[in-house]
Amino acid sequence: MRIPDDALDEIVVAVAPTLERTTGAGLLTYEDGATVLTLIGVAGTRLPAELPGLLRSAAEFLPARIMDALLAAEPLGEVVVQHYPASVWRRYDKLRRLPRGLVVLGDAVCSLNPVYGQGVSSAALQAKALRRSLAEADGDDMSRCYFSDAAKKLAPLWQANRLNDFAVAPTNGWRTVPQRLLNWYTDKLAAAAADDIVLAEAFMRMVNLIDPPAKFLTPSMTRRVVRGNRRRG
């Protein structure tokens, strides 16, 4: 959609689903004044497939000033619906025998929950692994080197996605503790980032795999999270 000039200051808006509210949204501004609105439904939630219904759903949790901008916007395309059943990581790196000349890339190796918007970044990491393997290995060793290197790059991303999924899906057993810790800190981080451009930018860099999640555990970032939540009471 195209939002009128000066109707919205933000170029990125992110509202994550929670255990209590199984819907979320992402608003991203692109070139030529175009903005993409994505609504998210998890835990079996099915959202409307037409624009008026989507906007009514968004109004249930997006701030009023953002909804005012969306309602004044001009639609530039049709609503597209995607259902995503599960994340899948195909472990080519564990095969004892590899078909000769086989190179697999992108979602064909690791297909991640699109809620986190990391599919292209994941494919880019795999492409870097392929470039290194082509430069350093020969023959049959090239495929094995590539799949092994790609797996090392994908492993922390896969684990982070699983932990994030726990934040919006009921769990039991050992998952309960990391889920509670992740939910608690993520809530505090999101609250502080709403008014702190440094935290907000750091969060987007983490989501796009530029910086590791561990950056938010450094003393300087932790202090910003604490200060931000104190200011908000």
Side-chain angles (χ1 to χ4, degrees):
M1 55 182 62
R2 179 172 287 113
I3 295 177
D5 294 340
D6 301 325
L8 192 65
D9 292 332
E10 290 83 357
I11 60 174
V12 176
V13 176
V15 180
T18 66
L19 284 171
E20 296 76 25
R21 189 197 66 248
T22 56
T23 53
L27 191 69
L28 300 173
T29 298
Y30 288 86
E31 64 273 8
D32 300 325
T35 297
V36 174
L37 171 66
T38 301
L39 260 67
I40 303 159
V42 299
T45 299
R46 289 291 184 263
L47 292 162
E50 81 290 341
L51 184 57
L54 281 179
L55 291 175
R56 285 194 297 272
S57 295
E60 296 177 3
F61 57 88
L62 283 178
R65 60 186 180 78
I66 294 176
M67 283 308 306
D68 289 342
L70 293 177
L71 292 172
E74 170 195 359
L76 299 177
E78 298 296 325
V79 173
V80 177
V81 178
Q82 179 187 26
H83 298 302
Y84 191 86
S87 299
V88 177
W89 184 7
R90 296 177 175 87
R91 299 303 303 268
Y92 292 97
D93 59 297
K94 291 182 176 293
L95 290 178
R96 293 183 179 180
R97 297 178 59 189
L98 290 168
R100 188 175 180 85
L102 177 68
V103 174
V104 189
L105 193 71
D107 282 356
V109 175
C110 188
S111 181
L112 298 166
N113 188 338
V115 166
Y116 309 126
Q118 295 179 326
V120 173
S121 299
S122 168
L125 290 177
Q126 296 170 54
K128 291 182 67 175
L130 178 59
R131 181 175 61 186
R132 189 177 75 83
S133 300
L134 288 170
E136 299 179 3
D138 297 316
D140 294 339
D141 289 340
M142 194 281 293
S143 291
R144 193 165 300 281
C145 177
Y146 160 63
F147 285 123
S148 177
D149 195 16
K152 292 177 183 177
K153 295 182 182 299
L154 290 170
L157 180 60
W158 177 263
Q159 295 300 329
N161 269 253
R162 297 299 292 159
L163 279 174
N164 284 328
D165 284 340
F166 293 160
V168 294
T171 57
N172 51 41
W174 70 269
R175 297 180 179 88
T176 303
V177 173
Q179 180 191 54
R180 288 176 177 173
L181 289 174
L182 178 68
N183 289 0
W184 178 81
Y185 192 73
T186 300
D187 287 346
K188 300 300 182 183
L189 170 61
D195 299 315
D196 187 326
I197 189 62
V198 173
L199 286 176
E201 182 178 354
F203 176 79
M204 296 308 299
R205 289 177 62 87
M206 178 192 69
V207 168
N208 287 282
L209 310 184
I210 299 170
D211 295 331
K215 183 175 181 178
F216 283 105
L217 300 179
T218 61
S220 61
M221 286 296 184
T222 303
R223 284 195 295 269
R224 298 190 80 97
V225 172
V226 172
R227 284 200 301 266
N229 281 272
R230 283 179 175 173
R231 285 196 303 269
R232 298 175 68 87

